[in-house]
Amino acid sequence: AEEAAAAGAFWRHAHVDAEALERRLVLMGELDQAIADGEIEVHYQPKLALATDRVASAEALVRWRHPTRGMIRPDLFIPLAEQADRIGALTLHVLARAVADLADWRARGHDVSVAINLSAMLIAEPAFSAAVDTLLDSGAVPPDRLIFEVTESATLADPERAAAQLRHFRAKGVAISMDDYGTGQSTLTYIRELPLSELKIDRSFVQHAHLNPADALMVRSTIDLAQGLGLKVVAEGIEEPGCLALLRDAGCDLVQGYLIGRPMVADAFVATLEQRAAA
Ligand code: C2E
Ligand code: MG
Ligand code: MG
Ligand code: MG
């Protein structure tokens, strides 16, 4: 009876997994068409420079406005796109959109940068790098107004190659930012080995730093370490004024979070820039 129950459980699970798999495959089958149909949108979240109170840059965050499933967040479809070998096409789409929007903002007189999130597997992929080089060399925007955000795990598979490729982008002027800092592994090794310009402290350390002394200590010492090494520090996930005050006091360079601004469509982002310029 036990065996039969186990077998039953197995098949129930297999059934559920098969359904989930089916849904994923359907979704991935739709992705190329979604790009072509304009369902893939890029939203922008401001990064505020504390010393000048200026919006220094915008992080491009991808969304899928699906006709029947509603707005799909990247945490759901990015991993699927990675597994299905669609991440290169998707990222190039996001990068091209972000570069076009950035060119527009700059033409309106706003000196801002744009940050793009790069998946692990893409960094050392020759076809992807070649396409990025073409865009960087196109003259659409100065490459030193682009930031590539990578995670610690992004470089794990082949650290040497990833580092070499990042140095190549860095040499063209692109800034390299370590995203979600503190949540990965071999953290200090990466800080030493990668050609970083910026470090983003993960929001899990930042969010409650004004309430939790241990978090505050980690945030402060990370800022000291990074700045000591010549890196700019971004704190992500600022939701409370108390948290912002702590980051100011700690000398953090840039802040990002719902308190400063949520991710928004390009028109709303440019309206924010315009408002701030007028104020
Ligand atoms: P991330 O790069 O660490 O981006 C920050 C995420 O935190 C974003 O979620 C943002 O909306 C959210 N966030 C920002 N401020 C706050 C805050 O104050 N409180 C809270 N609770 N959350 C905040 P989102 O847009 O859902 O993106 C999730 C992740 O998906 C990103 O994490 C990034 O790793 C990935 N992602 C987004 N766009 C792309 C893309 O174009 N390519 C790749 N490879 N990954 C992307
Ligand atoms: Mg990011
Ligand atoms: Mg992050
Ligand atoms: Mg993240």
Side-chain angles (χ1 to χ4, degrees), residues 18 40 43 51 53 60 92 95 103 121 134 137-138 145 147 152-153 162 170 190 197 206 211 214 222 224 246 271 273:
I40 302 298
H43 291 199
D53 210 31
L92 287 173
L95 182 59
M121 56 214 307
T134 303
D137 298 341
S138 74
R145 289 296 179 267
I147 304 164
E152 294 158 71
S153 59
R170 188 85 197 84
Y190 287 117
S197 342
V206 173
L211 306 172
T222 301
D224 287 347
L246 183 139
L273 292 177

Side-chain angles (χ1 to χ4, degrees), residues 260-274:
I260 317 300
R262 292 195 172 244
M264 55 190 110
V265 297
D267 284 349
F269 183 74
V270 83
T272 303
L273 292 177
E274 235 102 83

Side-chain angles (χ1 to χ4, degrees), residues 140-159:
V141 294
D144 66 0
R145 289 296 179 267
L146 293 177
I147 304 164
F148 288 167
E149 296 193 4
V150 301
T151 54
E152 294 158 71
S153 59
T155 56
L156 273 178
D158 191 344

Side-chain angles (χ1 to χ4, degrees), residues 113-127:
S113 302
V114 154
I116 308 287
N117 292 284
L118 291 192
S119 290
M121 56 214 307
L122 276 183
I123 294 172
E125 217 223 84

Side-chain angles (χ1 to χ4, degrees), residues 179-201:
D179 203 354
D180 301 341
Y181 177 77
T183 57
Q185 289 150 14
S186 313
T187 280
L188 293 173
T189 305
Y190 287 117
I191 288 196
R192 197 178 53 192
E193 306 294 331
L194 296 176
L196 299 177
S197 342
E198 179 184 280
L199 190 147
K200 295 184 79 172
I201 309 177

Side-chain angles (χ1 to χ4, degrees), residues 45 59 62-63 73-75 117 119 179-180 203 239 258:
Q45 187 179 34
E59 178 174 4
V62 68
R63 273 106 183 81
R73 303 208 47 172
D75 284 336
N117 292 284
S119 290
D179 203 354
D180 301 341
R203 76 160 179 263
E239 296 179 356
Y258 293 167

